[in-house]
């Protein structure tokens, strides 16, 4: 019987060719069948095509042992002794770095407890590095930056180059929630992918020491009678043709619903260039699915712009103001003294942004997801080589519409109104006739 084990899922993300898979290989002692680019297509193209899973274990730090559940009681009432020292198991989720596989990257980010952002120290932040950082800010709470390929730096100038890149990364993280995140320099595969395996990786023990400091834990990869969200489970089944199986969801009854549209909270990603317009189509990632969706934006009535945001529900009793586009600070409408409609948006509202905005998303095909799941909107049709962020907004799915005929059965409940103004022209003014005196 194995000793008790605590698991943490660590996502390995970064730009293509930054050395993510080599880092996972250097860290790991146990590899799954999907790890280390074993797929023929991955080997042929030299890139990761799907999520890879591998792991390593270290003794569980003393401060975390108190959080373990007590051993089961023996028939005599005394705790059953469990052989083996409690272990901290780190499961590495190796995400692809290629820009065209961002759907897989987003899906992987939603099951991780900590993100390793892998940076090629000779190149610094690249386009997909920035997109991975944006995803991390939305889906993850902890970050470790790994400066990889330090063996490619000239030995006499190596430390100076590492210090320079470290300062650049600290500045990059300054205005994110990962400010002050640890930055570790390593050489996961000295000499590059074609080099012999004789030279040991550099900096790996220091990186492992940082990951033991993770506090977000869950039980995993041990004999269990139940599992929870985020666990990676091997399940033995019979009478199935593996060629007919594809990625899916395992869930409790009634926990997932198939929806044709949804009401979501919306927050624009500041790095996205351009407006978020009503009736525009975006790639909408919900759970592990990405489908096209058309949006209609709306906000509170102007006198409620400053109300505290509500993140876990939607109030159908309130009235909401239709918006031609998502209101951000650079598009905040201005109201003239006469109260005329703002020329930029065609609406008359107060001169500041609401604290919370929503959207009705109509999916081109139904999606299956839980309530209150993460939603990410992207423009994946943009040029993958352009130096722009394709991630447009994120939010929470507050209410899913399961009825295919939701336009007739549900939308009348949604009280969204438009402000309309009529302008007239006075052609002439005629004074009233004077009253006659008798």
């Amino acid at each position: 019987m194995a000793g008790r084990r605590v698991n943490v899922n660590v996502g390995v993300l970064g730009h293509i060719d930054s050395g993510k898979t080599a880092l996972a290989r250097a860290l790991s002692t146990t590899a799954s069948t999907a790890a280390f680019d074993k797929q023929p297509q991955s080997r042929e193209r030299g890139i990761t095509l799907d999520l890879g899973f591998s792991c390593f274990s270290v003794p569980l730090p003393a401060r975390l042992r108190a959080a373990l559940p007590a051993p089961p009681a023996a028939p005599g009432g005394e705790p059953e002794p469990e052989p083996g020292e409690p272990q901290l198991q780190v499961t590495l989720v190796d995400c692809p770095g290629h820009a065209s596989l961002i759907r897989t990257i987003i899906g992987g980010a939603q099951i991780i407890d900590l993100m390793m952002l892998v940076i090629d120290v000779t190149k610094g932040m690249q386009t997909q590095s920035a997109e991975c950082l944006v995803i991390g800010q939305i889906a993850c709470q902890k970050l470790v930056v790994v400066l990889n390929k330090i063996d490619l730096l000239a030995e006499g100038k190596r430390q100076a180059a590492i210090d320079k890149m470290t300062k650049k990364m600290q500045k990059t993280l300054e205005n994110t929630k990962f400010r002050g995140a640890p930055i570790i320099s390593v050489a996961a595969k000295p000499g590059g992918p074609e080099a012999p395996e004789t030279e040991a990786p550099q900096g790996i023990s220091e990186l492992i020491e940082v990951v033991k400091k993770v506090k977000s834990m869950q039980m995993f990869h041990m004999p269990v009678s139940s599992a929870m969200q985020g666990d990676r489970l091997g399940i033995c089944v019979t009478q199935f043709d593996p060629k007919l199986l594809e990625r899916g969801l395992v869930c409790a009854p009634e926990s997932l619903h198939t929806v044709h549209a949804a009401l979501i909270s919306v927050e624009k990603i500041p790095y996205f260039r351009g407006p978020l317009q009503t009736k525009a189509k975006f790639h909408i990632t919900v759970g592990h699915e990405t489908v096209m969706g058309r949006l209609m934006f709306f906000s509170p009535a102007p006198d409620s712009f400053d109300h505290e945001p509500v993140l876990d529900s939607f109030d159908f009793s309130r009235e909401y103001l239709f918006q031609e586009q998502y209101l951000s600070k650079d598009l905040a409408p201005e109201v003239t003294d006469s109260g005329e409609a703002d020329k930029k948006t065609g609406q008359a509202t107060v001169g500041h942004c609401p604290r919370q905005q929503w959207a009705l998303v109509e999916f081109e095909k139904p999606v299956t997801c839980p309530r209150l799941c993460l939603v990410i909107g992207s423009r994946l049709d943009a040029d993958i080589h352009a130096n722009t962020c394709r991630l447009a907004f994120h939010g929470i799915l507050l209410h899913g519409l399961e009825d295919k005929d939701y336009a007739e059965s549900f939308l009348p409940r949604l009280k969204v109104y438009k402000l309309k103004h009529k302008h007239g022209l006075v052609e002439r003014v005629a004074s009233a006739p004077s009253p006659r005196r008798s």
Side-chain angles (χ1 to χ4, degrees):
M1 180 179 179
R4 287 176 293 172
R5 195 177 293 251
V6 174
N7 181 78
V8 59
N9 293 332
V10 176
V12 186
L13 290 83
H15 194 88
I16 187 172
D17 291 333
S18 59
K20 299 178 300 300
T21 301
L23 178 64
R25 182 182 290 109
L27 284 168
S28 299
T29 56
T30 304
S32 76
T33 55
F36 307 149
D37 294 343
K38 289 189 176 180
Q39 299 181 37
Q41 303 96 320
S42 294
R43 293 198 302 269
E44 181 180 340
R45 297 177 60 186
I47 62 174
T48 300
L49 297 178
D50 201 353
L51 300 178
F53 294 84
S54 56
C55 73
F56 65 89
S57 296
V58 294
L60 187 67
R63 65 182 179 279
L64 298 177
R65 298 189 185 192
L68 285 174
E78 294 297 324
E80 184 76 30
E82 276 196 59
E85 185 178 17
Q87 295 286 302
L88 169 60
Q89 175 174 284
V90 177
T91 296
L92 300 171
V93 185
D94 182 11
C95 297
H98 199 278
S100 63
L101 302 173
I102 195 169
R103 295 176 178 85
T104 306
I105 300 170
I106 294 174
Q110 296 183 76
I111 63 172
I112 65 176
D113 303 302
L114 175 143
M115 173 174 144
M116 283 188 192
L117 180 61
V118 184
I119 302 293
D120 184 334
V121 73
T122 66
K123 298 177 181 178
M125 285 288 289
Q126 297 172 269
T127 304
Q128 274 70 65
S129 311
E131 288 187 337
C132 290
L133 183 57
V134 171
I135 294 170
Q137 288 199 84
I138 297 170
C140 192
Q141 298 302 316
K142 299 177 183 295
L143 174 78
V144 175
V145 177
V146 181
L147 302 180
N148 194 19
K149 302 188 180 182
I150 61 172
D151 58 299
L152 300 183
L153 300 172
E155 190 169 352
K157 302 179 181 179
R158 180 172 300 172
Q159 192 56 51
I162 291 173
D163 292 343
K164 183 178 180 180
M165 187 59 68
T166 298
K167 289 180 180 179
K168 282 186 177 181
M169 291 306 305
Q170 289 171 338
K171 187 174 181 180
T172 299
L173 300 177
E174 186 73 21
N175 296 320
T176 74
K177 69 179 181 181
F178 300 128
R179 178 181 180 181
I183 301 175
I184 308 296
S185 55
V186 306
K189 184 66 171 66
E194 304 302 324
E197 303 290 340
T198 54
E199 192 170 346
Q202 304 169 22
I204 298 302
S205 59
E206 291 84 353
L207 181 56
I208 292 175
E209 177 62 27
V210 169
V211 176
K212 284 166 69 185
K213 295 181 181 179
V214 179
K215 296 180 180 178
S216 178
M217 304 290 178
Q218 59 186 210
M219 298 301 296
F220 180 82
H221 203 68
M222 58 186 296
V224 293
S225 58
S226 62
M228 61 183 295
Q229 182 178 359
D231 285 353
R232 177 168 169 79
L233 229 59
I235 303 175
C236 180
V237 294
T238 59
Q239 300 177 359
F240 280 97
D241 182 353
K243 295 181 180 178
L244 300 179
L245 296 178
E246 60 184 41
R247 179 169 294 173
L249 299 168
V250 178
C251 60
E254 303 299 323
S255 61
L256 296 181
H257 303 276
T258 300
V259 300
H260 299 268
L263 296 176
I264 66 170
S265 64
V266 179
E267 184 173 345
K268 184 179 180 181
I269 293 172
Y271 308 106
F272 180 77
R273 299 174 184 174
L276 307 180
Q277 295 182 322
T278 285
K279 295 185 179 179
K281 286 186 176 182
F282 290 86
H283 293 85
I284 310 296
T285 300
V286 185
H288 289 274
E289 293 190 69
T290 299
V291 301
M292 294 299 296
R294 190 187 302 275
L295 281 77
M296 179 194 78
F297 295 98
F298 56 96
S299 65
D303 58 0
S304 301
F305 267 24
D306 291 324
H307 282 192
E308 191 72 22
V310 179
L311 303 179
D312 59 355
S313 63
F314 185 83
D315 188 352
F316 287 96
S317 66
R318 294 173 55 189
E319 293 186 338
Y320 300 91
L321 177 62
F322 170 83
Q323 301 289 3
E324 293 286 353
Q325 59 188 1
Y326 178 92
L327 295 182
S328 54
K329 291 182 180 179
D330 56 330
L331 297 173
E334 299 177 357
V335 178
T336 63
D337 293 337
S338 62
E340 292 181 356
D342 175 73
K343 294 180 180 179
K344 191 181 296 182
T345 62
Q347 301 172 85
T349 59
V350 297
H352 64 281
C353 292
R355 295 185 62 184
Q356 185 171 19
Q357 297 179 63
W358 300 269
L360 170 68
V361 183
E362 299 181 275
F363 300 112
E364 287 195 349
K365 65 176 185 178
V367 297
T368 301
C369 59
R371 182 176 172 270
L372 299 181
C373 67
L374 176 65
V375 178
I376 297 179
S378 313
R379 289 299 302 267
L380 303 183
D381 52 340
D383 182 3
I384 63 176
H385 302 294
N387 189 24
T388 58
C389 180
R390 295 172 294 163
L391 306 171
F393 63 86
H394 66 96
I396 300 296
L397 192 147
L398 301 174
H399 193 93
L401 311 183
E402 300 180 54
D403 188 352
K404 187 176 182 179
D405 299 320
Y406 62 88
E408 292 77 27
S409 63
F410 175 83
L411 290 190
R413 291 178 56 196
L414 187 60
K415 303 174 184 177
V416 176
Y417 67 92
K418 293 183 179 180
L419 290 177
K420 293 186 177 180
H421 299 268
K422 292 186 177 181
H423 299 269
L425 179 65
V426 177
E427 293 184 350
R428 65 179 170 151
V429 177
S431 58
S434 301
R436 292 183 179 182
R437 294 182 180 180
S438 57

